[in-house]
Amino acid sequence: MKSVYIVNIPQYDADTVPLGPAILQKVAKEAGYKPYFSDLNLELDLKTKHNPKATTIWSSNLEGHLPYSVVKYLIKTIIDRTIDKIISTKSSFVGISFFSQKSMPYGLLFLKRLKTKRYFGKIVIGGPGVSRSLEKVQQLYEDGLTDYYVIGDGEVAFEKILKDELPYAGVNNTQSVAIGDMDSLAMPDFENFKLDLYPKMFDKLTLGIEGSRGCVRNCGFCDIKVLFLKYRYKSGQRLYDEVMFNVENNEVYTYWFTDSLVNGNQKEFRIMLRLLGDYNKSVHETKRIKWTGQYIVRPQKQYIEEDFQLLVDSGCFTLATGIESYSEKVRKDLGKNFSNADINWFFHKCQEHGISLFVMMIIGYPTEDEEAFQDTMNFFNEYEHLSDDNTISGIQLGHTMIMIPGTPTWMDRHELGIEYDAFNFISQPNSWKNANSDIRLRMQRRLIAQKHAVKLGWGIRSNQQQLDMFKRWSHDL
């Protein structure tokens, strides 16, 4: 039987089981191939957790390059061993998944080692990191490091490649493909995955689940619409069936929705919640579903009375929600049309129903002036009581505003007066400036906000990468 070897490339937080490779495994099986799988992102994460060089290894790619010491470590401990497995399985294809643009240096190293170690099969690359890095990917193709690259949704494209049914839109061209019927997608297949090694919630095996692609909003800072073209979703029944499939086949009861938002389609979302709620009421508490995901705050008038009880009954325990700024003007500028009164109502409804919240914010949107920044600072004072009772379990302040090509803000950069400073260690997406701020002021505000929030007892999520990045930036500034 022919075989295909699927590889997940670093670098991103290994906080959940990768869904893309699991779906591709199922596609490969249905195309008549035996799949193998290695998650190099997980392997690197596990190896660096208790390694003195962990900070260097895991944060080295922030500026898009890999130091020689990291290259040597990767080749010695992970890459060559994986390629030896690929060669030993005599796999006809290697499918390499790039989760983000930060995967590119790792992927380039892996592709070069494949050639050095004389792998003669066909190589396919895809994933969000490929779709976001067209020029680099086309260069990889021209240099003969990959036989196929896939832009946009990869399920049908991968099947066409394996079955030699080309040409197909999105394969070796820039015609990004968006699959319309999400219910038609294959169920993820987690065979070959070492599920027990991935992070757990409530000490239980946890799987990702995808309910939609794209977004119903068009936020100024976000490139999701560029990547996924249009908003598409699975039906509530299909999502429920997928959860039950994993309950029966993998005995998994805890889920992380990987969508940009779980409640983009309110009708189908409520159908899923009711089905999960009915299931949870019918089984022992040890078999009940629990889940978390990203959720958009809507104007109060868009809710119905039972929405919050449906969340509770379905097993929702935490919602991550991006309010981005507590300035209504800035929030309107970036495309989020709900008021501070809507936020207040939503937060207290969650408090009333015992639903935990994780809040995401951005410091330094181009229209954020000093007054708008102070509005966000006031947020920490106004909702300190919800932090104290753990309704708001944590908050993420991020890197400060990044100017990503293709986003609405980037498209409006001239109207916003965006210019760029040149630095040695600060990349251009971070180094923008206009009349309201530059990188110096944004970093200052970011650290002031964190200091103020921590003083009030808020839980702030700042990973080591962010702190290391700020240290490097300070050398330039």
Side-chain angles (χ1 to χ4, degrees):
M1 187 179 193
K2 298 177 294 185
S3 65
V4 56
Y5 207 113
I6 298 167
V7 180
N8 190 41
I9 291 291
Q11 174 207 41
Y12 62 94
D13 291 339
D15 48 15
T16 189
V17 182
L19 271 180
I23 296 172
L24 294 181
Q25 279 208 140
K26 185 65 173 178
V27 171
K29 285 184 177 180
E30 292 179 348
Y33 287 77
K34 176 180 175 59
Y36 296 91
F37 174 64
S38 288
D39 189 347
L40 303 195
N41 188 63
L42 177 67
E43 290 186 36
L44 181 58
D45 180 61
L46 294 174
K47 284 183 180 295
T48 56
K49 274 182 178 176
H50 306 292
N51 187 316
K53 297 180 179 178
T55 301
T56 300
I57 293 168
W58 201 246
S59 65
S60 62
N61 187 29
L62 285 175
E63 318 307 338
H65 69 278
L66 294 175
Y68 175 73
S69 60
V70 174
V71 170
K72 185 176 178 181
Y73 178 87
L74 290 170
I75 290 174
K76 181 179 178 181
T77 61
I78 295 176
I79 291 178
D80 278 3
R81 184 167 51 82
T82 302
I83 293 174
D84 289 341
K85 289 181 182 178
I86 291 171
I87 293 172
S88 70
T89 61
K90 299 180 180 179
S91 294
S92 305
F93 287 88
V94 173
I96 305 175
S97 178
F98 290 66
F99 182 77
S100 75
Q101 289 170 301
K102 291 196 295 184
S103 303
M104 293 307 296
Y106 297 88
L108 176 60
L109 176 60
F110 190 85
L111 290 169
K112 286 182 175 179
R113 292 300 292 176
L114 270 175
K115 294 297 183 181
T116 299
K117 291 180 72 66
R118 301 176 68 79
Y119 170 72
F120 295 115
K122 298 293 185 180
I123 299 170
V124 187
I125 63 174
V130 168
S131 296
R132 285 184 168 115
S133 308
L134 271 177
E135 288 186 12
K136 292 180 180 178
V137 166
Q138 288 172 327
Q139 190 62 54
L140 294 178
Y141 178 70
E142 290 174 11
D143 291 344
L145 291 174
T146 186
D147 298 286
Y148 307 99
Y149 62 89
V150 176
I151 304 300
D153 293 350
E155 292 86 350
V156 175
F158 194 51
E159 177 189 6
K160 295 291 186 183
I161 291 169
L162 295 180
K163 291 183 175 180
D164 195 20
E165 295 177 353
L166 298 175
Y168 178 75
V171 177
N172 294 348
N173 57 57
T174 59
Q175 301 175 49
S176 185
V177 173
I179 295 171
D181 182 8
M182 292 283 287
D183 283 2
S184 70
L185 296 178
M187 291 279 189
D189 185 330
F190 296 101
E191 183 184 3
N192 302 318
F193 283 65
K194 300 174 182 177
L195 295 179
D196 57 319
L197 295 181
Y198 290 90
K200 299 176 175 61
M201 289 188 285
F202 307 111
D203 240 5
K204 293 184 176 180
L205 285 177
T206 303
L207 289 180
I209 189 166
E210 180 189 46
S212 63
R213 292 177 184 173
C215 189
V216 296
R217 289 182 173 160
N218 192 29
C219 296
F221 59 87
C222 185
D223 67 345
I224 288 298
K225 284 211 167 184
V226 178
L227 183 64
F228 290 107
L229 301 183
K230 59 183 180 180
Y231 178 68
R232 297 151 287 145
Y233 53 86
K234 293 176 182 174
S235 67
Q237 182 67 54
R238 159 61 196 252
L239 278 172
Y240 173 75
D241 291 344
E242 194 164 325
V243 170
M244 291 300 105
F245 177 85
N246 283 312
V247 166
E248 295 168 8
N249 290 275
N250 299 301
E251 296 186 5
V252 174
Y253 303 93
T254 308
Y255 295 88
W256 181 326
F257 279 82
T258 62
D259 311 32
S260 298
L261 70 170
V262 294
N263 60 327
N265 184 307
Q266 292 277 69
K267 177 184 175 182
E268 296 301 332
F269 184 55
R270 288 171 182 143
I271 289 173
M272 181 196 73
L273 295 183
R274 290 189 178 98
L275 290 169
L276 290 176
D278 290 343
Y279 166 82
N280 280 344
K281 292 171 186 176
S282 71
V283 296
H284 188 269
E285 62 180 3
T286 59
K287 305 290 186 182
R288 289 174 188 162
I289 302 302
K290 290 185 177 182
W291 65 269
T292 183
Q294 293 191 170
Y295 183 99
I296 56 171
V297 176
R298 294 176 177 272
Q300 181 180 343
K301 63 183 180 181
Q302 295 183 15
Y303 290 87
I304 61 175
E305 182 62 32
E306 63 179 322
D307 274 338
F308 292 90
Q309 192 58 50
L310 284 174
L311 286 167
V312 172
D313 292 343
S314 71
C316 171
F317 62 89
T318 297
L319 294 173
T321 187
I323 67 167
E324 319 311 347
S325 172
Y326 204 50
S327 163
E328 291 191 331
K329 177 185 181 304
V330 170
R331 214 165 44 245
K332 184 175 181 180
D333 290 342
L334 63 81
K336 296 206 168 185
N337 296 311
F338 51 87
S339 68
N340 286 352
D342 293 325
I343 292 173
N344 184 71
W345 178 83
F346 173 76
F347 281 2
H348 285 95
K349 276 291 185 181
C350 288
Q351 181 189 41
E352 177 187 335
H353 287 82
I355 298 170
S356 173
L357 295 170
F358 183 80
V359 176
M360 297 173 288
M361 304 184 84
I362 292 174
I363 302 296
Y365 194 75
T367 59
E368 180 187 82
D369 55 16
E370 184 60 30
E371 181 181 354
F373 175 64
Q374 290 304 322
D375 287 341
T376 292
M377 292 289 282
N378 291 336
F379 170 88
F380 299 111
N381 299 322
E382 187 170 336
Y383 292 106
E384 182 182 357
H385 65 291
L386 296 185
S387 173
D388 290 343
D389 72 5
N390 213 39
T391 296
I392 301 179
S393 61
I395 193 160
Q396 179 173 281
L397 296 175
H399 298 128
T400 74
M401 174 70 185
I402 300 173
M403 199 66 59
I404 302 174
T407 61
T409 304
W410 185 84
M411 299 294 286
D412 293 338
R413 63 194 181 281
H414 301 303
E415 290 84 352
L416 292 166
I418 301 296
E419 296 177 350
Y420 293 92
D421 283 321
F423 296 101
N424 292 323
F425 298 104
I426 303 176
S427 61
Q428 189 180 61
N430 291 292
S431 69
W432 64 270
K433 64 181 179 180
N434 72 351
N436 290 318
S437 70
D438 60 14
I439 184 59
R440 294 174 179 85
L441 183 57
R442 289 194 297 277
M443 189 168 76
Q444 183 182 48
R445 286 175 175 169
R446 164 67 174 78
L447 295 174
I448 288 172
Q450 176 162 333
K451 184 176 181 180
H452 179 61
V454 169
K455 185 178 180 180
L456 294 175
W458 287 78
I460 303 293
R461 179 181 177 183
S462 290
N463 62 32
Q464 191 61 48
Q465 286 187 8
Q466 291 173 356
L467 298 178
D468 289 342
M469 181 178 66
F470 290 147
K471 288 178 183 178
R472 286 198 303 280
W473 285 6
S474 66
H475 289 292
D476 261 350
L477 300 177

